[in-house]
Amino acid sequence: MEQVLARTLPAAEIVPQRLHAAMRYAVLGGGKRVRPLLVFAAGEVAGTHADRLEIAAAAVEMIHAYSLVHDDLPCMDDDVLRRGKPTVHVEFDEATALLVGDSLQSLAFQLLAQYPLAHDAHKQLEMVTLLAVAAGSRGMAGGQAIDLASVGKTLSLPELELMHIHKTGALIRAAVMLGALCGELSAAKMAKLDHFAKCIGLAFQVVDDVLDAEASTATLGKTAGKDAQQNKPTYVSLLGVAQAKALAERLRQDAQDALDGFGAKAQRLRALADFIVLRSF
Ligand code: GRG
């Protein structure tokens, strides 16, 4: 994945060098790569080629990296540490960080449009639409808007869930569905994968909230304890650590159940669901 990202990003020598260097800084050499791994694992279930999956995986990771760069900006979360390194606006400057996000988003869609990824053009357009909706105001960016508006407020559990289904869940779901769309699956199996993806998307955020409360900055590679510091509603603030962990475990079980009937091909998806819930960083 590192090699794919390194070759799909513009070289740092190409004009404008500073922007390209910052894009590479934002994307390369860090991150768990959970979303690309989900693209590959879903593609394995749907039986397709690695050369299609690596492009879809790069597109999703670029959207993810863009969201982190913008989220860290002073006008949003105002953070100085990401993936164990100074955030992009600290290492470069705010205007560059803004452009890095914009350019990564454009590049993601360029990749989806430029390479043959699906059986036919209609299906490939479906993939472009899927990622656009997942990243936009009805997905990740919309979730971020709800997040920013809810600082200092008490949310109900359904409200918190709605926020995270959008902010975190939408892109994780898109990763799974894009991997599957690179291959061929029945509508019934797509629906099961969709349910799997929704469970792990939410579980990812529940665990993220627990880690923010329990893990150290060194382990996470980003500032720990920010949710409480910023008075953000989280699964931990609403449920407490023990119940939040129990919720994550229930979601893991639901996700695993959704894969029944897929056989050994789903082994990596199963392993990723376990990783998402049992991880320590
Ligand atoms: C700015 C449009 C816009 C959206 C921002 C995704 C997001 C919305 C903000 C990032 C901040 C955050 C805590 C989001 C929740 C999702 C999440 C836990 C992201 C971090 O993902 P990881 O843990 O990061 O997969 P790595 O670095 O491992 O790739």
Side-chain angles (χ1 to χ4, degrees):
M1 205 53 229
E2 291 302 313
Q3 288 169 14
V4 173
L5 291 167
R7 87 176 125 79
T8 45
L9 284 161
E13 297 73 38
I14 295 174
V15 177
Q17 290 97 334
R18 186 173 162 80
L19 175 59
H20 291 148
M23 287 165 74
R24 299 182 75 84
Y25 178 88
V27 176
L28 299 176
K32 296 180 285 297
R33 310 300 192 206
V34 164
R35 294 153 194 81
L37 289 169
L38 285 168
V39 174
F40 273 97
E44 212 164 88
V45 167
T48 186
H49 312 287
D51 51 357
R52 286 183 182 179
L53 293 171
E54 60 187 35
I55 296 298
V60 175
E61 187 67 5
M62 282 178 195
I63 295 283
H64 172 57
Y66 124 66
S67 80
L68 300 181
V69 173
H70 280 192
D71 183 66
D72 290 332
L73 282 169
C75 63
M76 296 218 188
D77 231 17
D78 193 9
D79 222 323
V80 294
L81 190 71
R82 172 70 67 182
R83 293 176 164 177
K85 302 187 293 192
T87 45
V88 176
H89 67 275
V90 170
E91 185 70 15
F92 292 83
D93 55 75
E94 269 183 58
T96 302
L98 200 68
L99 291 172
V100 163
D102 296 341
S103 306
L104 288 174
Q105 171 152 225
S106 296
L107 184 54
F109 287 104
Q110 183 189 333
L111 290 173
L112 277 195
Q114 191 176 349
Y115 295 90
L117 301 181
H119 179 65
D120 57 40
H122 176 77
K123 203 167 167 195
Q124 190 148 346
L125 279 178
E126 195 186 324
M127 294 170 74
V128 176
T129 308
L130 192 137
L131 189 62
V133 173
S137 62
R138 288 160 61 206
M140 182 183 74
Q144 180 78 346
I146 301 173
D147 185 334
L148 292 172
S150 61
V151 173
K153 293 197 179 137
T154 310
L155 295 187
S156 66
L157 206 53
E159 285 170 334
L160 187 69
E161 191 173 302
L162 184 81
M163 172 170 97
H164 290 313
I165 285 171
H166 288 81
K167 188 176 115 173
T168 312
L171 197 61
I172 289 184
R173 172 177 178 263
V176 173
M177 301 316 272
L178 285 178
L181 285 167
C182 287
E184 296 292 333
L185 274 185
S186 67
K189 286 214 158 137
M190 286 298 278
K192 282 187 167 191
L193 272 194
D194 199 3
H195 184 66
F196 167 84
K198 285 175 180 160
C199 292
I200 58 163
L202 197 55
F204 190 97
Q205 186 59 51
V206 178
V207 173
D208 200 69
D209 287 357
V210 171
L211 290 174
D212 185 76
E214 286 201 323
S216 70
T217 296
T219 309
L220 296 179
K222 60 180 180 180
T223 315
K226 278 213 85 170
D227 294 339
Q229 188 194 319
Q230 293 181 328
N231 201 13
K232 273 193 175 182
T234 68
Y235 283 96
V236 171
S237 69
L238 232 67
L239 298 175
V241 168
Q243 275 201 59
K245 283 183 177 173
L247 173 61
E249 184 51 36
R250 277 202 303 281
L251 289 165
R252 176 167 81 108
Q253 200 48 57
D254 276 2
Q256 295 292 357
D257 292 348
L259 297 178
D260 287 350
F262 281 90
K265 281 184 183 169
Q267 215 170 327
R268 283 183 218 264
L269 276 182
R270 286 188 184 282
L272 282 166
D274 289 346
F275 171 73
I276 282 169
V277 174
L278 304 174
R279 71 201 161 102
S280 55
F281 62 100

